[in-house]
Amino acid sequence: MSTGTLLAIIIAIVVVVAVVAVTVSLMQRRRHLRERFGPEYERTVGESDSRRAAERELKDREQRHDSLEITPLAPGSRDRYLREWDTVQGEFVDRPVHAVHDADRLVTSLMHERGYPTEGFEQQMKDLSVEHGRTLEHYRAAHDVETLSTRSQATTEQLRGAMVHYRTLFEELLSDGGRAQPARS
């Protein structure tokens, strides 16, 4: 076999191996993002011009999130938030609109204490999506109703639904996303 033929075969093998490696790498990245972001992955892809742009956006969210100092709550803070939630929930019977506003405020306060920036709803959604992608739709729905309620356009049933949605995210944030909290010394 001539050197030229051998070289052509080696180059072809190297190209095939490189293409396979790149394909496997992209598939692993996609699987990682799908697992990490849950339903938010499909939502972001659907709203983006391309899958590549959406995945880049999600990767950027991961990097921003990794730079944040997200911490579990101290047991005393956790108990205080539980008491406050009970108060907000009890308020719903007589003042549903106020209860929904208070639930929004309480969730935002909890996010802030955990270390999430709270400078705007869209950024909150992006920051929460990294660790709480599976409950993010609850927050989105609750926020939509809260916005309607500020214009006196929300029904009592919508307000009730908003409280359930807020509670879902509240409980997840309170429990550190379902992961066991490290022991405090």
Side-chain angles (χ1 to χ4, degrees):
M1 190 178 298
S2 72
T3 306
T5 305
L6 187 59
L7 189 58
I9 291 171
I10 291 172
I11 290 173
I13 290 172
V14 167
V15 168
V16 168
V17 168
V19 168
V20 168
V22 167
T23 302
V24 167
S25 175
L26 289 174
M27 288 172 51
Q28 287 176 334
R29 177 181 169 181
R30 185 166 293 153
R31 186 178 71 239
H32 163 76
L33 291 172
R34 277 191 171 142
E35 289 172 2
R36 181 128 198 217
F37 286 90
E40 187 65 12
Y41 174 88
E42 294 302 330
R43 181 182 179 84
T44 304
V45 168
E47 291 177 351
S48 182
D49 294 335
S50 71
R51 184 173 300 275
R52 176 179 280 169
E55 290 177 352
R56 193 171 333 128
E57 160 70 21
L58 294 172
K59 198 72 180 149
D60 289 346
R61 290 183 195 184
E62 274 187 319
Q63 289 174 347
R64 175 181 159 91
H65 184 273
D66 290 347
S67 72
L68 301 174
E69 291 186 36
I70 308 300
T71 59
L73 290 175
S77 290
R78 186 179 189 287
D79 293 342
R80 179 177 48 84
Y81 277 107
L82 284 170
R83 285 190 306 275
E84 286 186 47
W85 181 261
D86 286 344
T87 300
V88 168
Q89 210 165 254
E91 177 184 23
F92 185 82
V93 173
D94 295 324
R95 300 172 47 191
V97 171
H98 292 293
V100 168
H101 293 303
D102 288 346
D104 181 70
R105 178 199 51 78
L106 189 60
V107 166
T108 302
S109 175
L110 176 55
M111 287 171 50
H112 180 73
E113 189 163 337
R114 291 280 318 275
Y116 287 99
T118 54
E119 66 259 9
F121 179 72
E122 288 305 318
Q123 188 59 54
Q124 287 174 359
M125 295 293 289
K126 289 177 181 180
D127 292 337
L128 285 170
S129 71
V130 178
E131 292 292 328
H132 306 282
R134 300 201 189 301
T135 56
L136 204 55
E137 198 55 42
H138 289 281
Y139 188 40
R140 194 175 274 117
H143 182 76
D144 289 347
V145 172
E146 196 269 341
T147 301
L148 283 174
S149 74
T150 61
R151 297 186 304 242
S152 300
Q153 296 176 339
T155 66
T156 302
E157 195 54 40
Q158 287 173 315
L159 295 168
R160 187 181 333 279
M163 290 297 291
V164 171
H165 291 306
Y166 276 126
R167 183 177 59 222
T168 301
L169 179 60
F170 176 82
E171 289 173 348
E172 185 167 305
L173 286 168
L174 203 62
S175 71
D176 197 28
R179 291 181 304 277
Q181 294 184 9
R184 296 235 176 222
S185 44

